[in-house]
Amino acid sequence: MKKFIKFNLIVLVLLSFGSTFAQQLPQFTQYMYNTISINPAYAGSRETLSLVGLHRSQWVGIQGGPTTQTFSIHTPLSNEKVGLGLSFIRDELGYENFSYVYGDFSYTIQVGVETKLAFGLKGGITHYSLDQELLTDPSVMEDLYFNDVSNRLSPNFGAGAYLHTNKWYVGLSAPRILNTDYNKSQNGQIDYVSAERVSYYLTGGYVFNISELTKFKPAFMVKATNGAPISYDLTANFLFNEKFWLGGAYRFNESAGAFGAIADFQVSNSLRIGYAYEHPISDIRPYSSGTHEVLLMYEILKSKRIKSPRYF
């Protein structure tokens, strides 16, 4: 048991504080329905008021495994060219805690008969803290020394572009443009490595009509972060009778990976429920039973809503 607890601590410390790791925005299996968290140009693209909540429990079975909660709301304005949004993310990674509160603005232009191009800006505050349990634990302090870094507020901003029709989309964004070092003490000394680095996201997807009642939607996300390996997310979902999504997911980079399953159900025209499961294929696999993710989406529909359903 002591060996297992020690392993948990080592893994979490390496992931949180190791010099080869840069703090990134949390990852999601159902990223295609939570796009506003990484791309401000997505704000208002669903052509109605959209609310999305998500909970993710990663590496279940490992004490202190990462957990993430997100909530976002976005809508087009009356002229439909301007979209506004607000997103909140709470990410707990080992003994580190990150809270993101960001506003989003988008402007959309018509570039084709069915094609729209949106540009977006994102701005807000990131709050960073360390658990008191870590700061006051004598056994930890023997090996690690943390100075006055346990409570920081840092402003940041991002930008993105989103090209889409009702059948496909391509997005490019950098949701956090400023580099932020959370490890500097008040005297400027660096005690350990923990930094928020610039991440670039390339996303895309397409909806194929297989039959009158069945559609197929592959999607991808490529994430490049300064100081971290490039990450690739691939998903493929089937939609049955415009009600039920079922598919799989695969994530990989040079050092880790995971595969999983996704199921989404359109309970009503306004409400969607989604669930995703991931199983790691890295060295952490023997110690974790996997990752669980639950998504809720609610949209306030109007009579002048889009003529065709939104698939992303």
Side-chain angles (χ1 to χ4, degrees), residues 19-64:
S19 61
T20 59
F21 292 90
Q23 170 62 25
Q24 308 172 51
L25 283 173
Q27 59 194 18
F28 306 107
T29 307
Q30 301 174 91
Y31 57 85
M32 69 292 293
Y33 306 127
N34 198 34
T35 305
I36 195 171
S37 65
I38 61 172
N39 192 340
Y42 186 75
S45 65
R46 293 187 64 84
E47 301 182 10
T48 189
L49 179 64
S50 180
L51 299 91
V52 177
L54 183 146
H55 174 83
R56 178 181 175 89
S57 296
Q58 188 170 336
W59 302 338
V60 173
I62 293 181
Q63 182 181 359

Side-chain angles (χ1 to χ4, degrees), residues 137-145:
D137 188 338
S139 64
V140 175
M141 298 304 291
E142 291 176 1
D143 300 314
L144 299 173
Y145 174 73

Side-chain angles (χ1 to χ4, degrees), residues 1 16 30 40 114 151 155-156 170 193 208 237 251 253 255 258 265 278 292 301 310:
M1 179 62 69
S16 300
Q30 301 174 91
E114 298 181 350
N151 193 358
N156 213 323
V170 176
V193 175
F208 296 92
N237 291 277
R251 175 184 299 112
N253 56 44
S255 60
F265 182 65
E278 276 188 7
H292 302 274
L301 305 183
R310 295 274 100 180

Side-chain angles (χ1 to χ4, degrees), residues 258-303:
F259 63 88
I262 304 174
D264 284 82
F265 182 65
Q266 193 76 39
V267 179
S268 66
N269 289 335
S270 298
L271 180 63
R272 174 188 288 188
I273 298 176
Y275 171 77
Y277 171 80
E278 276 188 7
H279 189 72
I281 53 176
S282 60
D283 293 340
I284 206 170
R285 177 176 54 186
Y287 306 94
S288 171
S289 60
T291 297
H292 302 274
E293 190 176 283
V294 178
L295 175 141
L296 290 176
M297 178 186 293
Y298 185 81
E299 296 182 315
I300 299 176
L301 305 183
K302 299 180 180 179
S303 58

Side-chain angles (χ1 to χ4, degrees), residues 100-163:
Y100 307 86
V101 181
Y102 282 76
D104 302 279
F105 170 86
S106 71
Y107 187 83
T108 301
I109 58 176
Q110 197 82 30
V111 295
V113 177
E114 298 181 350
T115 307
K116 297 179 180 181
L117 175 61
F119 299 94
L121 294 174
K122 177 187 290 285
I125 296 291
T126 299
H127 177 256
Y128 171 78
S129 65
L130 292 172
D131 287 348
Q132 287 299 313
E133 180 184 356
L134 177 68
L135 299 175
T136 58
D137 188 338
S139 64
V140 175
M141 298 304 291
E142 291 176 1
D143 300 314
L144 299 173
Y145 174 73
F146 302 98
N147 214 310
D148 185 20
V149 296
S150 61
N151 193 358
R152 295 290 177 90
L153 281 174
S154 303
N156 213 323
F157 69 96
Y162 188 67
L163 182 68

